[in-house]
Every structure is written in structure tokens, then in C-alpha cells.
Amino acid sequence: MRKVLMIVVAGSVAASLGAQAPKETQSPRAASAGPDRTIMHVQVILDRLGFSPGVIDGREGESLRLALRGFQERHGLKPSGKIDQPTLRTLYPYRANRPTITVAVAREDVSGPFLNPMPKEPAQQAKLPCLCYRTALEKIAERFHTSPTTLVALNSPETPLRVGQPIVVPNIMPSSRDYGGVKDAGWQRTLSSLNVDPRQPTGDRIVVDKSDGVLRVFAGERLVGQFPVTMGSEHDPLPIGKWKITAHSYNPKFHFNPDLFWDAKAGQTDQMLPAGPNGPVGVIWMDLTKEHYGIHGTPEPQTIGRSESHGCIRMTNWDVARLSLMVKPGTPAVFQE
């Protein structure tokens, strides 16, 4: 069966033809409305400037509001969290970064391996060769910092997903693919596959603020990056205090220890899960001096800021990959109320 960029709406659940249901759900009315290009243009510019809006979808939401507040604070504007006139004037010099571009589907986009359906039990996942993307549509969406539903909305429903096929995507292509400063070849490929620009400012500390749900990167007193995050829960609260990043583990395997999870099911046992973007910690684990805690990616980018974690700092795969280029092991990490 050929893969097709098509969304079939059944009730309130969108499902891609010949594939799994996309991770996000929308009502038929919301899906038909399509992305707002003005909002998407702002999201693309903010993404490029290091004030991540999370998933680029051309829609208003909490992640965009937080990104706007960070950008506004950085530029001495009233932190309204809205696309107001002072903000538009400040964004104006970056208007050449159009909201979308047309690219050709690459062979690596559709060659897999893909695993669909993905088993939920750790014991079953441990037997897999990787916790890979489930479909090519999901993989392309993550490459362009968006969602399968948004990709479908940007293209004709009948657009075939095959090598060389032109498709419209958010315009977040990096300015360079020179990852010479990265020694790990596998990590270079991951950075490139996520369209992470290798040219990033260097931060000397990060601050995670429980009150607003973002991770900020500072160089001295200068805010050089901001990302939406999921942090802790009632059962595993954010560990308030001063810590340090100790190591970066690229494309990591994940040791599932049920003793560390309050919601582990009876009978579950220790398992070593394979690496992959759909693993519990995504594409990278940044270890902290607080035992069992870290900063990591996620297989569910649309849940960032909207769900709970087991105490760790969870980010989209593309945001945490970018963060890894901004801070080195030894960087202070302040977690505050």
C-alpha cells in the first residue's frame, strides 16, 4: 500500500491512512480550519531565535504564549504573551523567514525502519530493535517541528508520501549542517534529522521555573534561549534546588526500573529498552547531580507543558537536542518555585 498524506476523520479522532492515529487529536471543524499563517510565521521566527513555541501548528496556545513572553522580556517589551503591535515591530527584521517552504521528501524520510503499532508494555518494547518512529508521516513532522495533522493541513490530502515528492512544511531549516564540533557521528545524524542548527549561543546556566513551565538558558544576565517543558507531578515533584548537568547521553537506551515509577503495574520487571526517538527519554538524556533525575526528550511532543512527568524535565526532541549544543556538562541547573 502506498503511503499517503491523508487524514481520515472519524468522530474527534484523526487517523492517517495505512498508519497509526497521529498523536494529537482534533475535531473535524478544527482540522478543516487549517493553520493560521500569521501565527505560524511568528512561531517559525521564534523557533529560529531560540524562543521555542513547541509544536509549530499555526495555532494559539500556552507554549506560544510563553515563547512570546520570553521574547518580549528579552527585548524590553511588555510581557503580554500576545502577538501585539510592539512585538510585531520587533519581529519585523526577521520577516524574511517565511512561515513555510516546499521541500522534497527524502529517501531517509520514508525508508524506516518504522514500528507500528508500538507495544506499550516495557517487556515487549525490550525485544524490539529500536523504539523508532511509527510512520514516515510522524518522522517528517518531527523533522520540521510540527505535527502530522499540521502537515496534512499544509498539503493536499492526496499528496503521496514518496521520495522526491514536494511537500509544504514549516520553514525551520538550519542555516548550516556543519556539525564538526560534535564528535559523536550518530548524534550528528540525529541533529541533522531534527533540523537543529549547529550554530547556537553558549549558556553558562539554566533556570527551570515551576511557576511558568519553561527552561531558560542564560549567558551572564542575558537570556539566550527559552523552551517549554514538562516538570514533575504530584507524585514526583520538581526537585527544587541547585544542581549541575553531569553528562550528555546521546540516543540512549533506557533502563526501566519499576521500583522508580509510582504508576508501574504489578508484575512489571526491570527491562533495558532500546534507543529511539519514541523511547521514554527520546533522543538524549542529560544527567543531573540529583540522582535519578535528568533533562530529556519525549515520544509525545504535543504533551509538553500539558501533562506530568516522573520528576524529570521533559522537552520535545528538537528542543532538547538544541539545548545540548548550548550547555556543557558542568553547567549549573537551578530549579526554583
Side-chain angles (χ1 to χ4, degrees):
M1 179 184 293
R2 68 171 183 166
K3 301 182 183 69
V4 182
L5 260 172
M6 179 178 289
I7 289 293
V8 180
V9 177
S12 63
V13 180
S16 56
L17 183 65
Q20 90 291 349
K23 295 174 180 177
E24 75 286 355
T25 60
Q26 291 184 343
S27 68
R29 181 177 180 180
S32 64
D36 182 297
R37 287 185 64 83
T38 297
I39 294 175
M40 180 169 284
H41 199 180
V42 171
Q43 289 175 319
V44 164
I45 294 173
L46 290 173
D47 182 280
R48 286 176 169 272
L49 294 177
F51 292 87
S52 173
V55 176
I56 296 174
D57 56 5
R59 301 181 187 280
E60 294 181 326
E62 182 64 8
S63 292
L64 175 58
R65 186 186 72 82
L66 291 171
L68 285 165
R69 283 179 61 89
F71 177 82
Q72 289 160 344
E73 291 172 1
R74 170 69 182 84
H75 291 274
L77 304 174
K78 179 182 178 181
S80 65
K82 299 179 180 179
I83 305 175
D84 51 30
Q85 287 303 313
T87 301
L88 287 174
R89 285 194 294 269
T90 308
L91 289 169
Y92 186 76
Y94 307 100
R95 66 192 183 281
N97 297 310
R98 306 307 303 165
T100 61
I101 56 171
T102 300
V103 300
V105 174
R107 186 169 301 280
E108 64 185 90
D109 291 329
V110 296
S111 60
F114 301 113
L115 291 172
N116 182 40
M118 179 74 70
K120 296 182 179 179
E121 284 298 316
Q124 296 176 311
Q125 293 179 348
K127 299 175 183 179
L128 300 173
C130 66
L131 292 178
C132 308
Y133 292 111
R134 291 176 290 187
T135 66
L137 184 61
E138 179 188 48
K139 183 176 183 179
I140 296 172
E142 185 139 301
R143 177 188 291 272
F144 291 98
H145 308 181
T146 189
S147 68
T149 295
T150 302
L151 276 184
V152 171
L154 291 173
N155 293 272
S156 168
E158 290 77 28
T159 302
L161 204 55
R162 61 191 178 200
V163 177
Q165 173 66 43
I167 57 172
V168 178
V169 297
N171 181 19
I172 50 79
M173 297 294 281
S175 62
S176 167
R177 294 192 186 275
D178 180 6
Y179 298 101
V182 178
K183 296 180 181 180
D184 187 292
W187 187 235
Q188 288 185 17
R189 290 191 293 272
T190 298
L191 292 171
S192 182
S193 72
L194 292 171
N195 280 325
V196 174
D197 200 308
R199 301 173 182 175
Q200 298 295 333
T202 299
D204 57 28
R205 74 184 187 283
I206 65 170
V207 176
V208 177
D209 200 318
K210 185 178 179 180
S211 66
D212 59 11
V214 296
L215 182 152
R216 295 180 174 90
V217 185
F218 289 92
E221 296 305 311
R222 180 184 175 89
L223 178 63
V224 296
Q226 179 183 292
F227 307 95
V229 297
T230 291
M231 56 181 85
S233 67
E234 178 183 353
H235 298 276
D236 299 291
L238 179 73
I240 303 301
K242 296 181 179 180
W243 317 102
K244 285 187 178 181
I245 297 171
T246 60
H248 294 176
S249 180
Y250 305 127
N251 296 308
K253 295 181 179 180
F254 179 75
H255 177 207
F256 173 76
N257 180 355
D259 293 338
L260 300 178
F261 293 85
W262 65 269
D263 54 351
K265 298 177 182 178
Q268 288 183 327
T269 58
D270 277 32
Q271 301 290 340
M272 183 58 73
L273 306 187
N278 271 334
V281 295
V283 299
I284 184 173
W285 170 270
M286 303 172 70
D287 206 16
L288 296 169
T289 47
K290 174 67 173 176
E291 188 176 12
H292 303 309
Y293 285 80
I295 303 169
H296 61 82
T298 181
E300 304 285 351
Q302 84 289 344
T303 67
I304 296 301
R306 297 177 174 85
S307 62
E308 297 181 333
S309 77
H310 289 92
C312 294
I313 307 301
R314 186 189 303 160
M315 307 170 65
T316 68
N317 280 333
W318 58 85
D319 281 345
V320 74
R322 183 173 190 168
L323 177 65
S324 76
L325 298 179
M326 302 173 75
V327 295
K328 299 178 180 179
T331 299
V334 179
F335 297 172
Q336 61 191 30
E337 296 284 356

